[in-house]
Amino acid sequence: MQIESLFMEFEEFVVQPNAMRSLVILLASIIVAYLLSHVIARIIIKIAQKIALRSDTATNEEKKIKLRRVETYLSVSIAAVRALIVGIVAFYSWQLISTTASLSAATIGASAFFIVIAGGTLGLVLRDVTSGAAMIIERWFDVGDFVQLEPFLDVSGVVERITLRSTKLRNLSGEVIWVHNQHIHGVKVTPRGLRTLAVDIFVNNEKVGRNLIEKVLATIPVDAMTVAEKPKIIKSEQWGEHLWLMTVTAQTPPGREWIIESYLVESLKDQDAKRRGGDTMVRRPMVRYADPAAEKSFRRAIRISKNDSK
């Protein structure tokens, strides 16, 4: 009944002599404000694209992080500028209408009608804005970072845009993902967008084992979407009279670990089986993550007492 009465009061407001003129002024002002904000947003986007190009070509890691942070702030400012311009124009237009239109019961009813309509969506928008502002202030991630969003199981990708209301990702298959900020409970950020893997290979002949490994490594494609740099042997250590440990490292984007975990390991086994003169590998290669920052943190976390080491 209350909603029906609001509709009736709104109809009474519309049929008043100056009501339609006032509504036309308000709508025209909002449309002009939107177009103006769109032009300004396009200018900001052009600036952000230039900064993105500079950050992608920067060789200094610290400079790249700073440029990406500036790109993030510019991305956020697009929505803020649009909301600010539309809000200012709408406010002054309403002030103009209020001075020309009589504040009758119908006017109050029309105002209440718009408040009820806006109230259904305003709460959702405010929750998104609050969550987005908190993430930006605390620097959860920046534009260009590879992230996995919680509590979702398969929502991950490169951050292409951040606004106060939503976050835009692009995953490895090229799909674009939009997520409301209020639904992001946590974020896993992959440093530098790469995961470092190490492969430990035990061989009974160092020279033959090295040739075998290098032959397989030559078949792995090197690209931003597969393996960032050519995998290489970083260590060759003798463990016994006829036993050597050789370690290979490689960096892959998240989701491409199978190139090392599966393809590299199976190729090593196949090449070793085809080689004449018996097997060179003593055991199946072991694959593990080898992030330097993680290793440093775990060295601090793991405490082995003297009694445990005996």
Side-chain angles (χ1 to χ4, degrees), residues 80-151:
V81 167
R82 283 179 172 175
L84 182 63
I85 292 176
V86 173
I88 290 174
V89 173
F91 174 77
Y92 282 106
S93 299
W94 185 256
Q95 290 286 92
L96 177 63
I97 293 172
S98 299
T99 57
T100 57
S102 60
L103 293 177
S104 61
T107 307
I108 297 174
S111 302
F113 174 79
F114 285 114
I115 291 172
V116 170
I117 297 299
T121 57
L122 190 59
L124 297 174
V125 173
L126 286 177
R127 283 196 289 271
D128 285 330
V129 170
T130 302
S131 300
M135 289 191 300
I136 293 167
I137 292 172
E138 295 176 1
R139 295 180 180 176
W140 283 20
F141 52 86
D142 293 317
V143 172
D145 288 343
F146 188 97
V147 300
Q148 180 177 341
L149 304 183
E150 300 290 345

Side-chain angles (χ1 to χ4, degrees), residues 201-216 233 244 246 248 268 272 275 280-281:
I201 309 163
F202 285 98
V203 297
N204 54 27
N205 186 302
E206 183 184 17
K207 183 177 180 180
V208 175
R210 182 179 291 274
N211 291 336
L212 173 70
I213 294 170
E214 290 179 348
K215 185 176 181 180
V216 173
I233 302 173
W244 282 264
M246 309 189 78
V248 175
L268 287 171
D272 194 28
R275 197 188 68 82
T280 302
M281 292 193 304

Side-chain angles (χ1 to χ4, degrees), residues 281-301:
M281 292 193 304
V282 178
R283 293 288 185 271
R284 177 185 173 88
M286 296 179 292
V287 183
R288 56 184 171 83
Y289 288 106
D291 183 72
E295 290 180 358
K296 183 178 179 180
S297 296
F298 274 89
R299 286 195 189 99
R300 296 187 62 191

